[in-house]
Amino acid sequence: MTINSKQLTFILDNTPASQNIMLVGKHGIGKSRILEDYFAGKGAKVVTLFLGQMADPGDLIGLPEKNEKTGKTDFMLPYWFPTDGEPVVLFLDELNRARPEVLQTIMDLTLNRKLAGKTLPEGSRIISAVNNGNEYQLTDLDPALVSRFNIYEFAPSVEDWLKWAETSGIDSRILNFISENPEFLDSADIDTDHDNLERTPDRRSWERASNIIKNFPELGELHKPIITGILGNRTTSIFFRFVMEHDVPSAQEILCGNFSSVTERLKKLNAPNLSQVNSSLFRFIESKLAEFNDGDKKTVAENLGKYYAYLGDSGNRELQSHFASLCRAEYFPETLYFISTEAKTLYENLMQLVMEL
């Protein structure tokens, strides 16, 4: 069974610190980031160790030194080891890329929270993330080590990523493209060239592409080579064609500006495009609501109502129904609360539509 981001959050919330967790999944899907962001959001100190980069156990446990009092060998504490008594989240990244001798050092750490005789502070926890698949150069893990982890196959959904991307400022053209073409988010077999150096899209690469294209309001042939090196030939061609053919206003343009300035662009969109716009508006409010001041809330509420009315005036009853279907607490709880409190007329219209369906 695979788990998504919501299920992972529930697991992290309810697993005791004494139990180790391992996430298994493809590269580039956000395993490391979501773990680090989760614990950082809890105010926990996160120590990340890239085990695949460690040459020998000394990189993990520290260097040996002579104890002048006992005449015996001790180990100097490594740079990361907590000395203030406060618990840490020890994130073991690339566990199954580590050398066998490094993995032997991990055994006592994962079972007893000890490293070279020194114990982690009470309440510390151990989390790991590993890649899984025949395409990776990996180290076989000892069954005894594996047994010390609760193991979950992590496969965040496209909607998970879109919500995160909206929060993180990913370029709206990428959001619109992935909304309509979800198979391009992190498919390893998009391009047919089997050369290992041929790029294929993943979630990391879309973020890198966004960091470049957000500096350019319009994209042209000059931008293709740099994006090709990030996304691959076929994906880049399809993405650029999509951008040229779909001038989709961003959620911010629709909700935070003058609504009349985007109506002509909305008229050029087909039903699938407008369905994407519906979802993007809800994701935008869900991710940005905490940042709105009272004036922002008023503007967003008014423009959201105008957009819904525009769908009705254009005869898009099905799109209004789709809009209403998004008003569910399990999808967008903060947005639903916002509409019910800040856009009451819209909320009443939506409830009336739901009763009629």
Side-chain angles (χ1 to χ4, degrees):
M1 176 182 177
T2 59
I3 61 171
N4 58 29
S5 297
K6 184 177 181 180
Q7 292 166 323
L8 174 58
T9 297
F10 182 83
I11 289 168
L12 295 173
D13 284 342
N14 293 281
T15 301
S18 59
Q19 297 185 21
N20 308 321
I21 291 175
M22 179 187 294
L23 286 194
V24 180
K26 296 289 185 180
H27 70 279
I29 61 172
K31 300 187 298 297
S32 302
R33 168 167 283 178
I34 194 170
L35 287 170
E36 291 174 346
D37 288 350
Y38 170 86
F39 287 110
K42 297 288 186 181
K45 181 181 178 181
V46 181
V47 176
T48 302
L49 300 177
F50 295 98
L51 300 184
Q53 300 176 13
M54 293 184 173
D56 60 57
D59 293 338
L60 181 63
I61 64 176
L63 298 176
E65 64 175 351
K66 180 181 178 180
N67 187 317
E68 297 297 337
K69 292 183 178 180
T70 65
K72 298 180 180 180
T73 298
D74 282 342
F75 284 88
M76 299 173 60
L77 287 175
Y79 74 93
W80 59 267
F81 200 93
T83 58
D84 57 4
E86 293 297 319
V88 298
V89 177
L90 192 57
F91 180 41
L92 306 178
D93 206 0
E94 303 179 337
L95 180 65
N96 58 345
R97 290 182 183 272
R99 294 172 180 267
E101 55 269 29
V102 173
L103 289 176
Q104 290 301 315
T105 306
I106 296 295
M107 296 288 280
D108 195 29
L109 183 64
T110 54
L111 182 62
N112 300 312
R113 297 295 194 272
K114 289 185 177 181
L115 191 64
K118 298 176 177 65
T119 305
L120 290 175
E122 184 70 24
S124 294
R125 60 190 311 161
I126 297 175
I127 309 290
S128 179
V130 302
N131 295 331
N132 190 31
N134 295 329
E135 65 270 33
Y136 304 110
Q137 296 179 352
L138 304 174
T139 303
D140 289 335
L141 296 179
D142 189 307
L145 177 59
V146 172
S147 71
R148 297 172 188 183
F149 286 89
N150 302 344
I151 301 176
Y152 302 98
E153 185 174 352
F154 183 50
S157 68
V158 174
E159 190 61 35
D160 286 337
W161 185 83
L162 288 170
K163 288 180 180 178
W164 168 84
E166 194 78 64
T167 305
S168 302
I170 298 298
D171 189 271
S172 62
R173 290 164 292 191
I174 291 177
L175 292 175
N176 292 329
F177 176 76
I178 296 300
S179 293
E180 187 164 327
N181 304 276
E183 69 275 14
F184 282 89
L185 178 56
D186 49 14
S187 176
D189 56 359
I190 287 294
D191 295 284
T192 57
D193 190 338
H194 295 290
D195 186 338
N196 286 339
L197 293 180
E198 173 67 21
R199 286 293 298 139
T200 56
D202 59 37
R203 301 177 190 218
R204 287 195 200 117
S205 60
W206 283 113
E207 183 178 4
R208 293 201 299 269
S210 173
N211 289 337
I212 291 174
I213 69 172
K214 66 184 180 183
N215 298 315
F216 301 97
E218 296 184 6
L219 299 179
E221 291 298 319
L222 187 61
H223 303 100
K224 275 189 177 181
I226 190 171
I227 301 304
T228 297
I230 302 173
L231 301 176
N233 288 309
R234 182 171 175 235
T235 301
T236 299
S237 296
I238 295 173
F239 171 65
F240 270 69
R241 185 166 66 246
F242 175 90
V243 171
M244 300 305 171
E245 295 175 354
H246 301 77
D247 179 21
V248 182
S250 69
Q252 183 165 353
E253 289 177 296
I254 294 172
L255 295 176
C256 300
N258 184 346
F259 182 77
S260 61
S261 67
V262 299
T263 52
E264 291 302 315
R265 294 165 66 189
L266 290 173
K267 290 177 182 178
K268 298 177 182 179
L269 301 181
N270 57 27
N273 294 151
L274 288 170
S275 178
Q276 295 165 30
V277 171
N278 286 351
S279 299
S280 73
L281 298 182
F282 277 74
R283 286 196 303 268
F284 180 83
I285 296 173
E286 191 76 13
S287 63
K288 299 292 186 181
L289 183 57
E291 302 173 16
F292 294 164
N293 58 35
D294 290 342
D296 295 332
K297 291 179 180 179
K298 181 178 179 181
T299 299
V300 169
E302 289 178 352
N303 284 337
L304 192 63
K306 290 177 181 178
Y307 172 79
Y308 180 79
Y310 164 81
L311 294 179
D313 293 341
S314 303
N316 290 313
R317 179 78 169 181
E318 290 185 4
L319 287 168
Q320 281 191 317
S321 298
H322 174 257
F323 186 103
S325 72
L326 297 174
C327 292
R328 297 173 62 179
E330 61 266 37
Y331 293 162
F332 302 100
E334 298 299 327
T335 306
L336 177 58
Y337 178 77
F338 172 79
I339 293 174
S340 66
T341 56
E342 303 291 336
K344 294 182 179 180
T345 300
L346 172 60
Y347 182 76
E348 292 171 359
N349 290 335
L350 291 172
M351 294 302 100
Q352 180 63 36
L353 178 60
V354 170
M355 294 292 293
E356 295 174 0
L357 295 178

